[in-house]
Amino acid sequence: MQNKGLIRFFAIIFGLVCLYQLSFTYFTNKTEDEAKAYAISQAPEDADMQDVVERAYLDSIGANPIFAGITYNDAKEKELNKGLDLKGGINVILQISIRDILGGLSNNSTDPAFIAALDATDEAQKDSQNTYFEDFVSAFEAQGGQLASPDIFANVILNEKVDTGMSNAEVASVLETEIKETIGSAFETLRNRIDKFGVTQPNIQSLGDNGRILVELPGAKDIDRVRGLLEKTAQLEFYQTHYAGDALNYLIGANETLRGLVASNEEKQEAAVAQDSTLDDNVSDLLKDADEEEAEQDFGPLFKIFSPNQLAVQNSATPTIGFAAVKDTATINSYLRNPSVIKQRPATLRYAKFAWGVPEEEGADIVALYALESNRQGAPYMDGDVVNDSRQQFTQTQQPAVGLDFEGQGVNQWAKMTREVAQKGNAIAIALDGNVYSAASARQEIKGGATEISGNFTVAGAQDLATVLNAGRLPASAKIIQAEEIGPSLGKEAIDSGILSFLIALALVLVWMVFYYGKAGGFADIALVVNILFIFGVLAGLGAVLTLPGIAGIVLTIGMSVDANVLIFERIKEELRKGKSQKDAIKDGFNNALSSILDANITTFLTALILFLFGTGPVQGFATTLMIGIATSLFCAIFITRLFIDGYGKNGKSLEFATSMTKGLFVNNNIDFLGKRKIAYAISGVLIVGGLAALLTGGLDTGIDFVGGRTYTVRFDQPMNAQEVEDALVADFGSADVKTFGADNQLKITTKYRIDETGTDIDAQVEQQLFTSLTPYLPTGMTYAAFAKSTDDKQVGKMEYYMVGPTIADDIKKGALFAVIGSLIVVFLYILLRFRRWQFSLGAVAAVFHDVLLVLGVFAVLKNIMPFDMEVDQNFIAAILTVIGYSLNDTVVVFDRIREYIKEHGSTRGFGKLINQALNSTLSRTLNTSVTTLIVLLAIFFLGAPSIRGLMFALIVGVIVGTYSSLFIATPVMFDTVQKKGLKEEKEEEEVEA
């Protein structure tokens, strides 16, 4: 090897750079451990206060040097980022409503064709791969309308950009630009909010042109607070309130009207029940008794779930009409929207808007109802555009509040509003996104353009409200369509299990290499350790995020990276058996192995690249580490190992590439692989048919990534019966699947209940209902707040949450399909380019299809048998693509040896014999690589986190069938196709001669 000095210099420099990059992580962790210890000493019993103290400690020392002039703030920016599954936090995909944007650009047009096109687009988006705007244009043009109509987009908002003479295509171009600008504005607004929230290492990025924005906040603990911060549109409005006494009198009459309406519906339902001939008489008697008992205490439909404010009876000017539970607000809203009820409104309440307040205390579920003065268009007295600045402050009684400063016309509007309220004796309601935060009276006119919102705030709530107001309102509503929440305690457990599996897998591989190759294996071990240093250093330097699947990718790289060393050592052993000197054998061994190493790693790299392009989140982390590991392992195997081997042998020292126990293994093999191909075809055929039968009859256990749904990981203080819990949840939710997840006191609960509805309020209601259903199994006295809140040492309650909306689930499913198909096409073309024969590509792709079908079949057959989660999700697709890469890795090495033998012999005469010889000569390498890879995978499978156990099982099955297929499927298929072509050519030559 030439330029050894340069390579040695580069390796040392690169190693030092990697150590430098990783030093930031060391100093950051050291400082944060000190901060945590200080916080515990200051507030040993209060976890919430510990978080506050820890944050304050880090803020106070952030600019102080901690080592060689490096500050904590500097180190934090450059540390190795940990993903949600290792640190806890929240990862969401927000959907900015393109419908809202189009509605705003149309000046809220009510044109029937426009509304119909929007409704049709909403329906089409459920299974469409087009953007929302593309489907909207198609839906609108299908009705033959004109986008440039004065009733739609030729309005005052777009008067300088759209005129009535423009075609639909011209207007669409303008709208597309406006939509992109609006999404960009929403992106900046969200980024400003997140920056002010104070989460370290946030990640926010726009996903394509369909208004989707990814937000990752590792380390965030107050999940509900984060979700509210992201989804608030910051629609700040100021209303005058109606007198509660007037509104209450109206509701009393409405209740009587509803009594008749609801009773009529109940009679229809009873009549339907009476027609059911299977209804048992005893059940009928029970229903009758229940009806009679209820009639004795009949408050009416409305007042059964709504409690009037008694103060409103005594003082009609008070703003609060009454109270209701959060879960009943939707029903009450439907009552108030009933046409018969609306007709009863008196003139004073004709345009009133009924709005709910916010809970008075964290975790409370009771809210107040207000009647807000408005006009025919539902406009407020003032809107939030006139607010210049907002800040968190305290009232005179030291209660958290939000201070507001008005600007421009807002100063005069506020003075006028407070003067009117002081005269009328009603109140000013301050509403954010439709919820009333404060409803206070004014004793006199307030001049100067300043006020204070003093509702029932916590300090954090006041800070968040000030943050969203300062960052600006979102130009359209934002709904969370995919979310992942992981508690910090679960993240800590994942780190511990990941490190343990990593160390054990590394130790086993190091021992195996020394056992099999002796001192040469020791040199390979050194190169492997250097390779790991390089991987982590590159990850830190690139600012990549380390995830649990990422750790799995690194550990898998350990198993696969020894493949290059195994190839080299086996080729050196072959050269030594030919009688060459050690120096020449080493030189020729490295040179001869280079082609196989490059081909095998390039095919694996291509599949990892496709996985990175089509995957999201942790799957991308897996692909990233796999690609980095492939690149660094190539360098270490080809150059670092060579440096040590050449250095050892330069003084004439003899270097054995085997030990006394392995020296004679796999030497002079003479297995007739091709002769057994028909048996192999039959075995594979039976297995594939059995797997396909299982797939067609029972299918796969499809995860919510592909069908949508909500998944909760819940831990209990006792072993749980999953079937018992599932039966209880099905009774409440109608849809539930419960499995033991990891330990026997931890369950994975999946449901599609209300998955078509999105929003923080819906998620909260579903989670509250889950808590209620699980209460009999939880510790006595456990509150919902304790169940849901994330803490560093949490042992019981919700540990993890994952939600995928149906629309994005369809996109994920199609993206996964494209990834698999794309990888097959790319690999087929690469092998065709490298080997110049389509038969080689056909054999490789046939083996890949064989392996994928067998893995799918195993999962279909064992999905209800194995004691761990075998869902088919994005991680499973990552496993499938990795299996494809591994299978090709094995196959390409064999094909490379066949190509070498063909070049040596110069003809296809005795082709079958050459193939058998190639398979026998690579058998040692094939089995060695499989053994080391399986050692690694088994270590992660048994010791790693439960969340990646299914991924590891798929890889284990894939390695086994991939090793088998490279010997008994890929090469025989290639041989049969070449043989048929050769026989056909011989026959044609004979016919020509005749």
Side-chain angles (χ1 to χ4, degrees):
M1 183 176 66
Q2 299 178 347
N3 301 317
K4 293 181 182 178
L6 181 61
I7 293 172
R8 186 181 293 109
F9 173 78
F10 175 79
I12 293 172
I13 294 299
F14 192 31
L16 291 175
V17 170
C18 289
L19 287 172
Y20 172 75
Q21 291 290 346
L22 293 173
S23 68
F24 296 116
T25 303
Y26 169 77
F27 291 119
T28 298
N29 291 339
K30 182 174 180 293
T31 304
E32 289 176 352
D33 288 342
E34 293 171 354
K36 187 176 291 293
Y38 174 77
I40 293 174
S41 68
Q42 296 298 307
E45 303 296 332
D46 191 340
D48 291 336
M49 185 55 67
Q50 288 174 14
D51 292 338
V52 174
V53 173
E54 181 180 347
R55 198 177 303 117
Y57 178 90
L58 293 173
D59 289 341
S60 66
I61 58 95
N64 299 336
I66 56 177
F67 180 78
I70 300 173
T71 66
Y72 168 76
N73 291 339
D74 294 335
K76 191 67 179 175
E77 291 181 0
K78 299 177 181 179
E79 74 166 340
L80 178 61
N81 300 329
K82 292 188 285 289
L84 301 185
D85 48 8
L86 297 178
K87 194 174 183 179
I90 181 170
N91 172 329
V92 304
I93 294 179
L94 287 161
Q95 176 69 66
I96 304 299
S97 175
I98 308 299
R99 177 172 182 145
D100 284 0
I101 296 175
L102 290 170
L105 292 173
S106 71
N107 199 20
N108 298 317
S109 172
T110 58
D111 181 85
F114 177 69
I115 300 300
L118 290 175
D119 292 340
T121 304
D122 289 341
E123 187 65 28
Q125 278 287 291
K126 292 180 180 178
D127 58 0
S128 172
Q129 290 301 298
N130 298 327
T131 66
Y132 188 96
F133 182 67
E134 289 170 343
D135 281 341
F136 165 76
V137 173
S138 299
F140 187 84
E141 289 184 337
Q143 302 182 53
Q146 291 296 316
L147 293 173
S149 166
D151 295 329
I152 308 180
F153 292 113
N155 54 44
V156 294
I157 295 177
L158 298 173
N159 62 349
E160 296 182 358
K161 300 177 180 179
V162 176
D163 60 61
T164 55
M166 296 175 67
S167 66
N168 282 347
E170 291 172 326
V171 178
S173 178
V174 173
L175 294 176
E176 193 168 18
T177 301
E178 292 292 319
I179 290 172
K180 287 181 180 179
E181 291 178 355
T182 305
I183 294 173
S185 174
F187 179 86
E188 291 302 321
T189 298
L190 287 170
R191 185 164 63 181
N192 289 336
R193 291 183 186 182
I194 292 167
D195 289 343
K196 294 176 182 178
F197 187 69
V199 175
T200 57
Q201 298 174 324
N203 175 35
I204 175 170
Q205 52 185 290
S206 182
L207 304 177
D209 299 325
N210 213 16
R212 289 175 182 170
I213 297 176
L214 169 69
V215 178
E216 293 179 313
L217 302 176
K221 298 178 183 177
D222 196 341
I223 303 299
D224 290 336
R225 181 183 174 194
V226 172
R227 291 168 68 92
L229 188 74
L230 294 175
E231 285 195 320
K232 277 190 176 72
T233 59
Q235 180 82 19
L236 183 66
E237 298 171 322
F238 300 85
Y239 294 89
Q240 289 191 35
T241 63
H242 286 283
Y243 298 140
D246 295 342
L248 190 55
N249 289 332
Y250 160 63
L251 294 182
I252 291 172
N255 187 49
E256 294 304 314
T257 301
L258 289 166
R259 191 192 302 273
L261 294 173
V262 173
S264 175
N265 289 334
E266 289 178 349
E267 288 175 2
K268 293 179 181 178
Q269 293 174 359
E270 290 174 0
V273 171
Q275 292 176 4
D276 187 350
S277 59
T278 62
L279 185 65
D280 189 90
D281 291 338
N282 293 329
V283 176
S284 299
D285 293 338
L286 289 173
L287 290 174
K288 182 178 179 182
D289 293 342
D291 291 341
E292 291 174 353
E293 182 179 347
E294 184 178 329
E296 294 176 0
Q297 301 179 357
D298 187 8
F299 297 106
L302 179 60
F303 290 143
K304 187 186 298 183
I305 55 178
F306 178 77
S307 300
N309 181 10
Q310 296 302 317
L311 293 177
V313 179
Q314 304 169 11
N315 177 16
S316 65
T318 187
T320 306
I321 304 170
F323 307 91
V326 173
K327 64 182 179 63
D328 294 325
T329 56
T331 302
I332 296 172
N333 289 340
S334 68
Y335 287 162
L336 296 180
R337 288 195 299 266
N338 188 287
S340 298
V341 173
I342 292 176
K343 286 180 181 179
Q344 293 187 359
R345 285 193 181 190
T348 54
L349 296 174
R350 178 171 299 172
Y351 302 121
K353 294 175 66 174
F354 288 92
W356 297 99
V358 293
E360 294 188 3
E361 298 178 2
E362 185 177 359
D365 62 349
I366 303 298
V367 291
L369 181 66
Y370 301 90
L372 312 180
E373 291 186 5
S374 185
N375 57 19
R376 185 186 297 271
Q377 287 75 37
Y381 195 103
M382 296 171 54
D383 61 41
D385 292 341
V386 296
V387 174
N388 178 48
D389 182 51
S390 61
R391 62 207 163 272
Q392 187 269 315
Q393 59 190 39
F394 293 93
T395 64
Q396 293 180 348
T397 58
Q398 296 304 301
Q399 297 300 311
V402 177
L404 300 177
D405 290 332
F406 297 103
E407 63 179 354
Q409 292 298 319
V411 176
N412 295 330
Q413 286 180 317
W414 182 246
K416 180 183 177 183
M417 188 177 189
T418 53
R419 182 172 66 249
E420 291 178 4
V421 169
Q423 294 170 354
K424 292 164 60 176
N426 56 348
I428 296 173
I430 302 177
L432 181 71
D433 296 336
N435 294 316
V436 176
Y437 275 73
S438 174
S441 60
R443 297 182 180 179
Q444 60 185 9
E445 178 182 339
I446 300 176
K447 299 180 180 180
T451 190
E452 181 178 80
I453 307 176
S454 55
N456 300 301
F457 289 113
T458 62
V459 173
Q463 289 174 344
D464 291 348
L465 179 53
T467 293
V468 296
L469 293 177
N470 279 331
R473 57 183 288 187
L474 285 174
S477 62
K479 293 296 183 182
I480 294 175
I481 59 173
Q482 181 177 340
E484 183 177 15
E485 302 171 8
I486 300 177
S489 58
L490 203 62
K492 185 177 183 302
E493 293 171 9
I495 291 178
D496 293 341
S497 63
I499 291 176
L500 179 62
S501 63
F502 175 83
L503 293 177
I504 291 179
L506 177 61
L508 290 173
V509 171
L510 296 179
V511 170
W512 175 263
M513 290 299 287
V514 173
F515 165 77
Y516 201 91
Y517 292 108
K519 288 182 180 179
F523 294 144
D525 287 346
I526 296 173
L528 183 57
V529 172
V530 173
N531 180 32
I532 293 169
L533 171 65
F534 286 173
I535 292 173
F536 280 103
V538 172
L539 285 172
L542 294 177
V545 178
L546 182 64
T547 62
L548 197 57
I551 291 179
I554 293 173
V555 181
L556 180 61
T557 301
I558 294 174
M560 296 181 68
S561 65
V562 300
D563 177 53
N565 287 124
V566 170
L567 275 168
I568 292 168
F569 292 167
E570 291 300 323
R571 293 307 295 258
I572 292 175
K573 288 162 67 175
E574 287 182 21
E575 301 303 321
L576 288 172
R577 284 195 290 269
K578 292 178 181 178
K580 292 184 180 180
S581 67
Q582 180 174 290
K583 182 178 179 180
D584 290 339
I586 291 173
K587 178 182 177 181
D588 291 343
F590 271 92
N591 291 337
N592 293 336
L594 185 60
S595 177
S596 296
I597 292 171
L598 290 177
D599 283 335
N601 282 276
I602 288 173
T603 51
T604 308
F605 186 90
L606 288 173
T607 56
L609 178 62
I610 291 172
L611 182 60
F612 177 82
L613 295 174
F614 285 94
T616 60
V619 175
Q620 282 188 326
F622 177 83
T624 300
T625 53
L626 197 57
M627 287 189 292
I628 292 172
I630 289 170
T632 57
S633 64
L634 275 173
F635 174 80
C636 291
I638 296 172
F639 297 110
I640 303 297
T641 306
R642 181 75 179 271
L643 285 174
F644 282 105
I645 290 176
D646 286 350
Y648 182 84
K650 69 179 181 180
N651 295 323
K653 293 181 180 179
S654 176
L655 180 62
E656 294 289 338
F657 288 84
T659 62
S660 57
M661 290 180 289
T662 61
K663 191 171 185 178
L665 291 178
F666 304 111
V667 176
N668 298 322
N669 300 316
N670 191 24
I671 301 173
D672 185 8
F673 288 99
L674 292 181
K676 297 176 174 58
R677 68 184 188 280
K678 292 183 179 179
I679 298 175
Y681 288 162
I683 294 173
S684 293
V686 170
L687 293 175
I688 289 174
V689 169
L692 288 174
L695 286 169
L696 294 174
T697 55
L700 295 166
D701 185 6
T702 310
I704 65 170
D705 280 347
F706 300 142
V707 296
R710 293 180 174 88
T711 292
Y712 303 84
T713 300
V714 181
R715 185 173 296 173
F716 301 83
D717 61 348
Q718 58 187 336
M720 297 300 297
N721 184 322
Q723 188 59 53
E724 178 184 343
V725 176
E726 180 175 315
D727 293 340
L729 291 177
V730 168
D732 292 341
F733 286 81
S735 163
D737 180 60
V738 181
K739 303 172 184 173
T740 301
F741 191 62
D744 58 5
N745 68 328
Q746 187 166 271
L747 299 178
K748 183 176 183 180
I749 300 169
T750 302
T751 178
K752 295 181 182 178
Y753 177 67
R754 299 183 72 179
I755 192 56
D756 289 326
E757 304 174 65
T758 56
T760 301
D761 54 339
I762 301 298
D763 293 337
Q765 291 172 28
V766 174
E767 188 170 288
Q768 177 76 55
Q769 187 168 339
L770 175 69
F771 167 72
T772 303
S773 301
L774 294 178
T775 296
Y777 307 101
L778 295 169
T780 304
M782 187 175 200
T783 64
Y784 171 68
F787 171 82
K789 189 172 184 180
S790 297
T791 59
D792 288 330
D793 56 353
K794 186 173 183 178
Q795 293 301 317
V796 177
K798 184 189 75 172
M799 309 298 291
E800 186 176 7
Y801 167 68
Y802 186 44
M803 183 275 286
V804 178
T807 301
I808 197 168
D810 185 65
D811 294 345
I812 293 173
K813 180 168 59 179
K814 291 179 180 177
L817 180 63
F818 292 156
V820 174
I821 294 175
S823 66
L824 292 175
I825 293 173
V826 168
V827 168
F828 182 91
L829 294 176
Y830 178 80
I831 294 178
L832 182 63
L833 179 68
R834 287 290 291 140
F835 293 94
R836 306 285 180 171
R837 290 191 180 189
W838 62 267
Q839 293 92 340
F840 283 91
S841 293
L842 179 63
V845 173
V848 166
F849 268 112
H850 167 274
D851 298 345
V852 170
L853 288 174
L854 283 184
V855 173
L856 290 173
V858 168
F859 267 66
V861 171
L862 301 180
K863 65 178 181 180
N864 296 321
I865 299 175
M866 302 301 280
F868 54 86
D869 186 24
M870 293 186 69
E871 281 189 355
V872 174
D873 53 14
Q874 290 192 82
N875 282 344
F876 179 80
I877 298 302
I880 289 293
L881 289 177
T882 306
V883 167
I884 290 173
Y886 185 87
S887 175
L888 290 167
N889 186 309
D890 262 358
T891 302
V892 166
V893 169
V894 174
F895 284 178
D896 203 76
R897 184 60 67 92
I898 293 171
R899 179 176 58 181
E900 179 183 330
Y901 283 0
I902 291 174
K903 287 181 180 179
E904 288 180 3
H905 292 273
S907 71
T908 59
R909 189 171 301 166
F911 191 45
K913 184 177 180 181
L914 289 180
I915 289 179
N916 272 329
Q917 188 178 349
L919 288 169
N920 280 287
S921 66
T922 57
L923 185 61
S924 177
R925 172 265 162 198
T926 299
L927 296 180
N928 244 313
T929 299
S930 298
V931 167
T932 53
T933 306
L934 282 173
I935 287 173
V936 171
L937 295 176
L938 289 170
I940 311 174
F941 177 78
F942 287 110
L943 301 172
S947 60
I948 59 171
R949 199 154 289 161
L951 167 67
M952 290 300 104
F953 183 74
L955 291 176
I956 290 170
V957 175
V959 167
I960 294 172
V961 299
T963 303
Y964 163 81
S965 68
S966 66
L967 296 172
F968 293 103
I969 302 297
T971 307
V973 167
M974 180 272 294
F975 170 74
D976 285 337
T977 52
V978 170
Q979 190 179 44
K980 287 180 181 178
K981 181 182 178 184
L983 291 173
K984 182 179 179 182
E985 290 176 349
E986 288 179 9
K987 185 177 181 181
E988 290 175 349
E989 288 176 1
E990 291 174 358
E991 290 175 353
V992 170
E993 290 176 359

